[in-house]
């Protein structure tokens, strides 16, 4: 299985030089999407975390490990999907030496739309799984849509099936085991939905 981030796309230098918003100033590097260039399923998260920022690849930290488990449960091989984020630079606030995740502002999501749209065009997936509200809004281009209105229903947008679900870090934020299990199971159900949709489209 190829290791995430081992083959950065040719436009990584352009992403690193991106000045469409200010997030590049404090981030280590831009984190492009990773996966087969023509994957049928694309997963879109919010933004890279601290580990992704250092390694230059999406979903390689704790949320990524949670996502890997969900993918395995759903029977979707990680190396068959293209993983990316709505925002390509890590936004954080410093607490002592720790870099704590900060939700990107709408203007930063909008500015980064250039890169997400380019990835969607280049990979041309049939199915996009949006992980969390930021991703869903970025993919659908609807700033006010909420995750609760989208959960459990697939919508067709620009000719692609879009399935919105929880972000894997939502699982990690749950206080108890029952909450974690419920959130995790919802993500697995959404990924299974993506697998079924891909199988139907192949027939
Ligand atoms: N969270 C995201 O949304 N994306 C990552 O790549 C890692 C954590």
């Amino acid at each position: 299985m190829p290791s995430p981030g081992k083959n950065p796309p040719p436009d990584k230098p352009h992403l690193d030089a991106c000045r469409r918003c200010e997030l590049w100033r404090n981030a280590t590097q831009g984190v492009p999407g990773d996966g087969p260039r023509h994957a049928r399923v694309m997963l879109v998260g919010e933004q890279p975390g601290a580990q992704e920022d250092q390694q230059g690849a999406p979903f390689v930290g704790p949320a990524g490990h949670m996502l890997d488990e969900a993918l395995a449960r759903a029977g979707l091989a990680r190396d068959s999907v293209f993983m990316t984020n709505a925002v390509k630079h890590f936004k954080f606030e410093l607490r002592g030496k720790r870099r704590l995740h900060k939700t990107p502002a709408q203007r930063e999501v909008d500015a980064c739309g250039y890169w997400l749209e380019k990835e969607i065009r280049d990979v041309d997936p049939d199915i996009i799984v949006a992980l969390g509200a930021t991703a869903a809004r970025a993919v659908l281009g609807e700033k006010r849509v909420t995750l609760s209105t989208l959960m459990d229903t697939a919508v067709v947008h620009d000719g692609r099936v879009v399935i919105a679900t929880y972000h894997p870090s939502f699982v990690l934020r749950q206080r108890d085991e029952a909450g974690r299990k419920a959130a995790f199971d919802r993500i697995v159900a959404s990924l299974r939905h993506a697998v079924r949709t891909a199988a139907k489209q192949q027939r």
Side-chain angles (χ1 to χ4, degrees):
M1 168 178 153
S3 323
K6 283 287 179 281
N7 298 304
D11 50 5
K12 166 89 163 88
H14 301 297
L15 177 58
D16 286 332
C18 182
R19 301 294 183 260
R20 288 169 189 270
C21 77
E22 294 298 307
L23 293 185
W24 65 275
R25 286 188 187 279
N26 297 323
T28 307
Q29 58 185 319
V31 178
D34 188 45
R37 297 317 288 168
H38 295 295
R40 302 195 56 220
V41 178
M42 176 183 273
L43 304 189
V44 181
E46 183 195 75
Q47 63 163 350
Q51 302 209 22
E52 289 79 14
D53 171 72
Q54 304 219 302
Q55 295 186 41
F59 287 108
V60 292
H65 299 319
M66 178 59 63
L67 184 57
D68 284 345
E69 272 183 49
L71 285 166
R73 275 277 203 95
L76 201 48
R78 176 171 175 138
D79 61 3
S80 73
V81 300
F82 189 92
M83 288 190 185
T84 192
N85 284 299
V87 169
K88 312 294 189 210
H89 284 97
F90 179 35
K91 181 174 183 178
F92 59 91
E93 60 189 2
L94 271 181
R95 266 300 157 77
K97 286 194 175 154
R98 294 179 61 208
R99 301 188 303 163
L100 298 184
H101 163 277
K102 213 171 164 199
T103 303
Q106 186 61 50
R107 68 178 180 286
E108 291 151 352
V109 178
D110 290 344
C112 224
Y114 168 84
W115 294 105
L116 180 62
E117 281 164 25
K118 182 172 188 317
E119 285 176 325
I120 294 174
R121 266 198 320 277
D122 291 350
V123 177
D124 195 19
D126 298 322
I127 300 148
I128 300 180
V129 180
L131 303 165
T134 300
R137 290 179 189 138
V139 168
L140 296 172
E142 288 191 30
K143 298 188 169 83
R144 268 171 276 281
V145 79
T146 62
L147 199 55
S148 55
T149 57
L150 292 170
M151 287 285 285
D152 303 322
T153 50
V155 294
V156 176
H157 178 75
D158 285 346
R160 307 175 207 284
V161 176
V162 178
I163 297 168
T165 192
Y166 293 134
H167 189 283
S169 61
F170 180 70
V171 179
L172 299 170
R173 288 199 305 272
Q174 298 302 302
R175 287 164 180 239
D176 55 28
E177 189 47 39
R180 280 190 288 279
K181 181 175 178 330
F184 179 78
D185 287 349
R186 294 285 290 275
I187 296 177
V188 172
S190 301
L191 294 172
R192 286 191 175 133
H193 189 169
V195 173
R196 281 196 309 276
T197 308
K200 265 193 223 149
Q201 291 192 349
Q202 221 158 22
R203 271 186 226 138

